[in-house]
Amino acid sequence: NGYVYSLQATTGCVYWSLRAASGVRTAISVGPVKGKGPTKFALYFGDMKANVYALDAASGQLLWKTHVEDHPLARITGAPKLYKNFLYVPVASFEEPSSFYMQYPCCTFRGSVVALDAATGRQVWKTYTISETPAPTRKNSLGTQLWAPAGAAIWSSPTVDPKSHALYV
């Protein structure tokens, strides 16, 4: 339903809650915050409409919200990975089930990883798993335009290898 809850550890009672713009499937990443007043730790997560959130861990106050992908079926299912001052966000989609509908102009989504400044939510860079932009290919038997290349969604959390300065998805 899009709610994220903070529970009182000793009682299990709700301490605070926040309703995201859409459902939330990601695990929540936690990390220290600098430059946000009294906020010491932030919670980072994504929703099913490709929004990424940073909340004050103690109060649930929204620190920032960033939309990372304009494709209408984009979503975030893997936990954003916090490393140093960056949040690495995996972007997936729900285009796969839509491709079964002959009227759907499949497929135009490309998976990506977005690097955000963890303090502000500002996009630092974005890289697609398929570099080529989808283009029209042919029409199916109903006359629906088909597109390619597409796919390579990133469904899980990235892995950071600090020794080799690499990010694995």
Side-chain angles (χ1 to χ4, degrees):
N1 64 10
Y3 277 97
V4 173
Y5 298 96
S6 172
L7 302 178
Q8 174 58 264
T10 56
T11 65
C13 294
V14 175
Y15 184 66
W16 59 255
S17 66
L18 175 120
R19 185 167 191 183
S22 184
V24 176
R25 278 189 52 187
T26 69
I28 294 178
S29 300
V30 180
V33 175
K34 294 178 185 172
K36 290 291 185 187
T39 301
K40 294 184 178 164
F41 289 91
L43 308 177
Y44 302 96
F45 61 92
D47 73 14
M48 300 302 274
K49 290 193 176 186
N51 297 302
V52 182
Y53 302 79
L55 306 181
D56 179 306
S59 70
Q61 177 186 0
L62 180 67
L63 300 174
W64 54 257
K65 174 182 168 187
T66 301
H67 187 70
V68 296
E69 176 59 52
D70 289 331
H71 192 284
L73 296 176
R75 60 205 57 240
I76 300 166
T77 58
K81 178 69 72 175
L82 181 62
Y83 180 69
K84 295 197 175 181
N85 298 322
F86 298 100
L87 191 67
Y88 300 100
V89 181
V91 183
S93 84
F94 204 61
E95 193 167 53
E96 291 85 351
S98 299
S99 67
F100 292 110
Y101 298 101
M102 296 288 287
Q103 299 83 2
Y104 180 72
C106 192
C107 286
T108 57
F109 175 82
R110 297 179 291 160
S112 64
V113 176
V114 180
L116 302 177
D117 178 307
T120 65
R122 180 184 61 82
Q123 182 175 310
V124 177
W125 56 258
K126 180 177 191 174
T127 189
Y128 288 97
T129 52
I130 299 174
S131 58
E132 187 180 342
T133 302
T137 56
R138 63 182 179 82
K139 293 188 177 183
N140 67 17
S141 61
L142 291 182
T144 304
Q145 182 64 60
L146 302 179
W147 299 72
I154 302 174
W155 294 95
S156 58
S157 185
T159 298
V160 175
D161 182 349
K163 193 172 187 178
S164 66
H165 303 283
L167 183 71
Y168 295 96
V169 295

